[in-house]
Amino acid sequence: MSSERRLGDRAASDRAFMREALAEARLAFAKGEIPVGAVAVHRGQVIGRGHNEKETTHDPTAHAEMQALRRAAATRGGWRLIDVTLYCTMEPCPMCAGAMVQARLQRLVYAVDDPKAGAAGSTIDLLQSPLYNHQVQVTRGILAAEVQELMTAFFAGLRNGSIPRFSESWAQPGLAANDDPV
Protein backbone atom coordinates (compact mmCIF):
# COMPACT_ATOMS: atom_id res chain seq x y z
CA MET A 1 0.00 0.00 0.00
CA SER A 2 1.41 3.40 -0.90
CA SER A 3 2.02 6.02 1.76
CA GLU A 4 -0.47 8.34 0.00
CA ARG A 5 -3.20 5.73 0.27
CA ARG A 6 -2.42 5.10 3.96
CA LEU A 7 -2.60 8.84 4.64
CA GLY A 8 -5.91 9.03 2.76
CA ASP A 9 -7.27 6.08 4.71
CA ARG A 10 -6.13 7.65 7.97
CA ALA A 11 -7.76 11.00 7.12
CA ALA A 12 -11.06 9.28 6.27
CA SER A 13 -10.85 7.23 9.46
CA ASP A 14 -10.08 10.36 11.51
CA ARG A 15 -13.17 12.10 10.12
CA ALA A 16 -15.39 9.07 10.75
CA PHE A 17 -14.30 8.67 14.37
CA MET A 18 -14.47 12.43 14.98
CA ARG A 19 -18.11 12.21 13.89
CA GLU A 20 -18.57 9.63 16.67
CA ALA A 21 -17.01 12.08 19.14
CA LEU A 22 -19.27 14.83 17.78
CA ALA A 23 -22.30 12.59 18.45
CA GLU A 24 -21.12 12.31 22.06
CA ALA A 25 -20.74 16.10 22.22
CA ARG A 26 -24.34 16.46 21.09
CA LEU A 27 -25.42 14.22 23.98
CA ALA A 28 -23.64 16.59 26.36
CA PHE A 29 -25.35 19.58 24.69
CA ALA A 30 -28.75 17.94 25.17
CA LYS A 31 -28.02 17.67 28.92
CA GLY A 32 -26.94 21.31 29.15
CA GLU A 33 -23.28 20.33 29.52
CA ILE A 34 -20.48 22.00 27.59
CA PRO A 35 -20.62 19.97 24.36
CA VAL A 36 -17.39 18.02 24.39
CA GLY A 37 -17.33 14.39 23.30
CA ALA A 38 -14.65 11.73 22.97
CA VAL A 39 -14.19 8.20 21.67
CA ALA A 40 -11.24 5.86 22.22
CA VAL A 41 -10.39 3.61 19.28
CA HIS A 42 -8.24 0.47 19.18
CA ARG A 43 -7.62 -1.29 15.89
CA GLY A 44 -10.55 0.38 14.20
CA GLN A 45 -13.06 -0.34 16.99
CA VAL A 46 -14.52 2.12 19.50
CA ILE A 47 -13.59 0.78 22.96
CA GLY A 48 -14.65 3.77 25.06
CA ARG A 49 -17.02 6.72 24.73
CA GLY A 50 -17.69 9.76 26.82
CA HIS A 51 -19.12 13.23 26.94
CA ASN A 52 -18.96 15.95 29.51
CA GLU A 53 -21.01 15.11 32.59
CA LYS A 54 -19.39 17.42 35.11
CA GLU A 55 -22.54 19.36 35.89
CA THR A 56 -24.98 16.45 35.98
CA THR A 57 -22.73 14.19 38.09
CA HIS A 58 -21.24 16.99 40.23
CA ASP A 59 -17.85 15.42 39.47
CA PRO A 60 -15.00 17.74 38.49
CA THR A 61 -13.22 14.86 36.70
CA ALA A 62 -16.20 13.89 34.52
CA HIS A 63 -14.71 15.35 31.35
CA ALA A 64 -15.42 13.61 28.06
CA GLU A 65 -11.82 12.45 27.70
CA MET A 66 -11.69 11.00 31.22
CA GLN A 67 -14.95 9.13 30.65
CA ALA A 68 -13.70 7.65 27.37
CA LEU A 69 -10.30 6.73 28.84
CA ARG A 70 -11.90 5.00 31.86
CA ARG A 71 -14.21 2.99 29.63
CA ALA A 72 -11.37 2.11 27.24
CA ALA A 73 -9.22 0.88 30.14
CA ALA A 74 -12.12 -1.22 31.41
CA THR A 75 -12.63 -2.69 27.93
CA ARG A 76 -8.91 -3.45 27.54
CA GLY A 77 -8.63 -4.80 31.08
CA GLY A 78 -5.75 -2.54 32.03
CA TRP A 79 -4.64 1.07 32.29
CA ARG A 80 -2.10 1.02 29.46
CA LEU A 81 -3.83 2.25 26.32
CA ILE A 82 -0.98 1.52 23.94
CA ASP A 83 -2.09 1.57 20.29
CA VAL A 84 -5.23 3.54 21.21
CA THR A 85 -6.25 6.79 19.55
CA LEU A 86 -8.53 9.22 21.38
CA TYR A 87 -10.78 11.42 19.24
CA CYS A 88 -12.02 14.49 21.09
CA THR A 89 -13.98 17.49 19.94
CA MET A 90 -11.86 19.93 21.99
CA GLU A 91 -8.23 20.21 22.98
CA PRO A 92 -7.75 18.55 26.38
CA CYS A 93 -7.22 20.39 29.65
CA PRO A 94 -4.13 19.65 31.80
CA MET A 95 -5.96 16.96 33.80
CA CYS A 96 -7.05 15.07 30.69
CA ALA A 97 -3.70 15.51 28.95
CA GLY A 98 -1.97 14.15 32.05
CA ALA A 99 -4.25 11.13 32.02
CA MET A 100 -3.38 10.54 28.35
CA VAL A 101 0.34 10.53 29.16
CA GLN A 102 -0.24 8.25 32.15
CA ALA A 103 -2.28 5.85 29.98
CA ARG A 104 0.50 5.75 27.37
CA LEU A 105 -2.04 6.83 24.75
CA GLN A 106 -0.55 6.56 21.28
CA ARG A 107 -2.40 9.39 19.57
CA LEU A 108 -4.86 12.22 20.17
CA VAL A 109 -7.01 13.68 17.40
CA TYR A 110 -9.02 16.77 18.27
CA ALA A 111 -11.16 19.33 16.46
CA VAL A 112 -10.86 22.76 18.10
CA ASP A 113 -8.24 24.46 20.25
CA ASP A 114 -9.00 25.59 23.79
CA PRO A 115 -7.19 28.93 24.04
CA LYS A 116 -7.97 29.27 27.77
CA ALA A 117 -6.98 25.84 29.10
CA GLY A 118 -5.66 23.70 26.23
CA ALA A 119 -2.77 21.43 27.21
CA ALA A 120 -1.87 20.16 23.73
CA GLY A 121 -0.16 23.39 22.73
CA SER A 122 -2.61 26.28 23.19
CA THR A 123 -1.53 27.28 26.71
CA ILE A 124 0.93 24.48 27.51
CA ASP A 125 1.99 21.29 25.77
CA LEU A 126 1.91 18.38 28.19
CA LEU A 127 1.52 15.78 25.45
CA GLN A 128 4.81 16.46 23.69
CA SER A 129 6.91 17.45 26.69
CA PRO A 130 10.36 15.84 26.75
CA LEU A 131 10.16 15.95 30.55
CA TYR A 132 7.85 12.92 30.57
CA ASN A 133 8.63 9.32 29.74
CA HIS A 134 5.87 9.22 27.09
CA GLN A 135 4.72 11.60 24.38
CA VAL A 136 1.37 11.46 22.61
CA GLN A 137 1.13 12.09 18.86
CA VAL A 138 -1.33 14.92 18.14
CA THR A 139 -3.48 15.71 15.09
CA ARG A 140 -5.49 18.95 15.22
CA GLY A 141 -8.37 20.48 13.30
CA ILE A 142 -10.42 17.46 12.19
CA LEU A 143 -14.06 18.62 11.64
CA ALA A 144 -13.19 21.89 13.38
CA ALA A 145 -15.92 23.93 11.65
CA GLU A 146 -18.69 21.50 12.69
CA VAL A 147 -17.48 21.38 16.28
CA GLN A 148 -17.07 25.17 16.46
CA GLU A 149 -20.64 25.59 15.24
CA LEU A 150 -21.92 23.37 18.08
CA MET A 151 -19.82 25.23 20.67
CA THR A 152 -21.02 28.60 19.39
CA ALA A 153 -24.66 27.47 19.59
CA PHE A 154 -24.16 26.20 23.14
CA PHE A 155 -22.59 29.39 24.47
CA ALA A 156 -25.17 31.54 22.66
CA GLY A 157 -27.84 29.46 24.45
CA LEU A 158 -26.19 30.12 27.80
CA ARG A 159 -26.12 33.85 27.11
CA ASN A 160 -29.74 34.05 25.94
CA GLY A 161 -31.03 31.81 28.74
CA SER A 162 -32.27 28.92 26.59
CA ILE A 163 -29.68 26.65 28.25
CA PRO A 164 -29.71 26.64 32.07
CA ARG A 165 -26.62 27.56 34.03
CA PHE A 166 -26.28 24.52 36.30
CA SER A 167 -23.66 26.03 38.57
CA GLU A 168 -25.96 28.83 39.69
CA SER A 169 -28.87 26.46 40.42
CA TRP A 170 -26.69 24.29 42.70
CA ALA A 171 -25.92 27.00 45.21
CA GLN A 172 -27.06 25.86 48.64
CA PRO A 173 -29.28 28.15 50.74
CA GLY A 174 -27.13 30.63 52.61
CA LEU A 175 -24.10 30.13 50.38
CA ALA A 176 -22.98 32.19 47.43
CA ALA A 177 -22.63 30.21 44.19
CA ASN A 178 -18.84 30.20 44.49
CA ASP A 179 -18.63 29.25 48.21
CA ASP A 180 -17.41 25.75 49.00
CA PRO A 181 -19.94 24.02 51.32
CA VAL A 182 -17.30 21.67 52.77
Side-chain angles (χ1 to χ4, degrees), residues 38-41 45-50 67-69 71-72 75 86:
V39 295
V41 176
Q45 299 294 316
V46 175
I47 61 168
R49 297 176 173 276
Q67 306 287 54
L69 291 172
R71 290 174 180 132
T75 299
L86 186 71

Side-chain angles (χ1 to χ4, degrees), residues 82-174:
I82 298 166
D83 296 329
V84 171
T85 297
L86 186 71
Y87 294 85
C88 188
T89 56
M90 181 177 248
E91 180 180 10
C93 73
M95 173 184 68
C96 295
M100 291 172 200
V101 171
Q102 290 298 314
R104 311 302 192 264
L105 190 75
Q106 178 181 1
R107 184 168 172 247
L108 166 69
V109 178
Y110 73 86
V112 297
D113 291 335
D114 181 352
K116 292 184 179 181
S122 288
T123 63
I124 189 169
D125 192 349
L126 297 178
L127 299 177
Q128 295 289 303
S129 175
L131 299 174
Y132 301 125
N133 64 339
H134 178 77
Q135 288 77 42
V136 178
Q137 298 169 27
V138 178
T139 302
R140 297 167 171 80
I142 305 297
L143 300 185
E146 291 177 48
V147 171
Q148 189 60 55
E149 185 179 314
L150 183 65
M151 297 295 273
T152 299
F154 177 80
F155 287 107
L158 277 182
R159 283 190 299 278
N160 71 25
S162 65
I163 295 174
R165 292 179 177 266
F166 281 103
S167 300
E168 293 167 6
S169 65
W170 289 347
Q172 295 178 7

Side-chain angles (χ1 to χ4, degrees), residues 14-92:
D14 285 350
R15 286 189 301 276
F17 287 119
M18 187 59 74
R19 283 188 179 82
E20 294 281 329
L22 188 52
E24 288 291 324
R26 288 185 179 112
L27 292 174
F29 186 104
K31 293 177 179 179
E33 296 273 359
I34 295 175
V36 178
V39 295
V41 176
H42 181 253
R43 296 184 179 160
Q45 299 294 316
V46 175
I47 61 168
R49 297 176 173 276
H51 55 271
N52 274 355
E53 295 183 292
K54 223 167 81 163
E55 301 293 352
T56 53
T57 64
H58 303 199
D59 178 355
T61 69
H63 291 200
E65 303 94 323
M66 298 296 284
Q67 306 287 54
L69 291 172
R70 285 184 186 116
R71 290 174 180 132
T75 299
R76 294 284 310 272
W79 61 268
R80 286 180 182 87
L81 299 178
I82 298 166
D83 296 329
V84 171
T85 297
L86 186 71
Y87 294 85
C88 188
T89 56
M90 181 177 248
E91 180 180 10

